[in-house]
């Protein structure tokens, strides 16, 4: 979930969601939905509640800065139905960050030390905004800064290990493997029609999916994605899928 009116206005591109989707897939975590919401308290609360209604975990990027429009902390606290508590240790860390650069911390930076009661802060190593790990019942909301390199560092250091631990506890550890096949000599609709029976069969099984990607002069790409508990099993799923499809062999695909 990306927070920021600038995203909705098209002023910047949401590269964080693409990065997270790629790295979650590499870790075997299914990313089911992406959404963007502006800097509005009620809409952020609604977006969080919607996300929690359909997923076990939510990663929120942005809205953790020191200014008036940075309201992700307040929205998460509202969803948790708790108050914000100022963490003096975080305030001291932020002040030290500025002192090390010969500057004084502005008073509004102290807002970045507000933590929803019951949540755990993720220490910030590259800037001033700490992240958050926020339990909501048996689910979890992770909040990270919108700055890409700060988000990526927190994800790899704190969020991914926590996600893996939760998945292991729930017996949901998995691997997601993808292979892109390039095809020539057929239209997207024609290829989809030729593979329709196989697509229907895979939908019933549920562990392998096919997607068609029109790619201009590169032809029609077919992405085969499999999810399994072990990488060899996932690989055999998509290899087996290709092997049973005459349209995916021979001169049409490479």
């Amino acid at each position: 979930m990306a927070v920021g009116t600038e995203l909705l206005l098209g002023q910047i591109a949401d590269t964080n969601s693409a990065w997270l989707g790629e790295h979650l897939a590499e870790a075997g975590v299914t990313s089911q939905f992406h959404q963007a919401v502006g800097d509005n308290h009620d809409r952020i609360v609604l977006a969080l509640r919607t996300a929690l209604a359909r997923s076990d975990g939510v990663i929120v990027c942005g809205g953790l800065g020191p200014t008036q429009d940075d309201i992700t902390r307040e929205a998460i606290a509202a969803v948790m139905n708790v108050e914000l508590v100022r963490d003096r240790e975080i305030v001291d860390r932020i002040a030290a960050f500025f002192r090390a650069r010969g500057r004084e911390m502005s008073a509004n930076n102290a807002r970045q030390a507000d933590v929803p009661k019951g949540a755990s802060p993720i220490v910030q190593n590259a800037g001033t905004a700490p992240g958050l790990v926020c339990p909501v019942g048996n689910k979890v909301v992770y909040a990270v800064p919108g700055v890409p390199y700060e988000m990526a560092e927190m994800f790899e250091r704190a969020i991914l290990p926590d996600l893996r631990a939760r998945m292991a506890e729930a017996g949901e550890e998995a691997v997601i493997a993808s292979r892109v096949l390039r095809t020539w000599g057929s239209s997207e609709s024609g290829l989809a029609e030729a593979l329709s029976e196989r697509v229907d069969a895979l939908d019933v099984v549920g562990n392998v999916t096919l997607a068609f990607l029109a790619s201009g002069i590169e032809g029609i790409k077919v992405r085969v994605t499999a999810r399994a508990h072990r990488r060899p099993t996932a690989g055999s799923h998509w290899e087996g899928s290709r092997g049973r499809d005459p349209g995916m062999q021979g001169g049409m695909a490479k």
Side-chain angles (χ1 to χ4, degrees), residues 30-194:
T30 301
S31 180
Q32 297 176 328
F33 302 94
H34 287 182
Q35 63 178 326
V37 60
D39 299 309
N40 176 280
H41 181 273
D42 291 344
R43 288 194 284 272
I44 296 173
V45 169
L46 175 60
L48 282 168
R49 287 177 173 157
T50 301
L52 287 166
R54 60 193 185 187
S55 300
D56 294 324
V58 181
I59 301 176
V60 184
C61 297
L64 298 180
T67 59
Q68 293 91 333
D69 60 337
D70 291 311
I71 51 178
T72 296
R73 290 174 294 266
E74 288 81 357
I76 293 175
V79 170
M80 295 175 66
N81 196 29
V82 298
E83 61 184 13
L84 290 168
V85 179
R86 186 152 296 179
D87 188 316
R88 297 306 309 177
E89 183 177 345
I90 296 176
V91 174
D92 292 341
R93 287 179 63 91
I94 297 172
F97 176 90
F98 281 100
R99 283 196 304 271
R101 289 156 178 78
R103 299 165 58 190
E104 288 296 320
M105 182 187 82
S106 299
N108 59 0
N109 280 107
R111 293 185 61 239
Q112 295 178 291
D114 291 344
V115 178
K117 189 174 182 180
S120 302
I122 302 174
V123 173
Q124 167 66 269
N125 289 335
T128 60
L132 297 167
V133 181
C134 308
V136 184
N138 62 345
K139 301 186 177 185
V140 62
V141 173
Y142 303 101
V144 292
V147 179
Y149 66 85
E150 295 180 18
M151 174 277 299
E153 193 276 334
M154 287 190 187
F155 174 83
E156 292 175 340
R157 170 170 53 89
I159 294 177
L160 186 55
D162 188 72
L163 272 175
R164 283 176 167 154
R166 292 173 185 271
M167 291 173 65
E169 184 177 353
E172 295 180 356
E173 291 176 292
V175 170
I176 298 174
S178 290
R179 170 71 60 85
V180 175
L181 306 176
R182 300 175 186 270
T183 73
W184 289 269
S186 177
S187 66
E188 183 179 14
S189 57
L191 186 59
E193 186 174 84

